[in-house]
Amino acid sequence: MGNMQGMMKQMQKLQKEMASTQDEINTTTFTGKSAQDLVTVDFTGDRKMTALNVNPEAIDPDDPDMLSDLVMEAVNDALGQIDQTTQSKMGKYTQGLPF
């Protein structure tokens, strides 16, 4: 019976650590950038955009698709950073688990 209680305490400690790590990720700001930093975006770790900055050089009235591409590039860069950070920080909790 003591072994089961020890396992439960360990699981509770692990849950607290996981929640703390997730909170840390959620409050981190991730900055995504396009080529030449013409567009930058800031996201929190829980994928909420908090800023979008467009360099005036990126605004070409004759080529609006370029601006769209730069925004997508910056957003995808930030989201990729969030995924990579989440995997590296949270992965230690799920390594070796069967799911």
Side-chain angles (χ1 to χ4, degrees):
M1 193 66 150
N3 191 23
M4 186 62 120
Q5 284 180 330
M7 270 181 35
M8 292 301 288
K9 282 186 179 187
Q10 235 179 340
M11 289 298 291
Q12 288 172 341
K13 180 182 175 198
L14 185 63
Q15 283 179 320
K16 285 180 185 176
E17 288 175 8
M18 286 176 66
S20 175
T21 300
Q22 188 63 57
D23 287 344
E24 177 187 330
I25 293 169
N26 289 348
T27 59
T28 300
T29 298
F30 295 87
T31 301
K33 299 177 181 184
S34 70
Q36 302 168 354
D37 297 344
L38 292 174
V39 174
T40 60
V41 294
D42 290 341
F43 276 84
T44 58
D46 56 352
R47 300 175 180 273
K48 290 182 174 69
M49 186 186 297
T50 58
L52 168 66
N53 299 302
V54 178
N55 184 316
E57 294 174 29
I59 302 170
D60 181 354
D62 296 327
D63 190 6
D65 290 338
M66 181 184 75
L67 180 56
S68 296
D69 290 344
L70 292 171
V71 170
M72 283 189 293
E73 183 180 3
V75 168
N76 287 333
D77 181 42
L79 294 176
Q81 290 176 42
I82 293 168
D83 289 343
Q84 185 177 14
T85 299
T86 300
Q87 184 176 9
S88 70
K89 289 188 176 200
M90 297 299 286
K92 65 184 175 187
Y93 298 111
T94 58
Q95 267 181 335
L97 294 177
F99 51 87

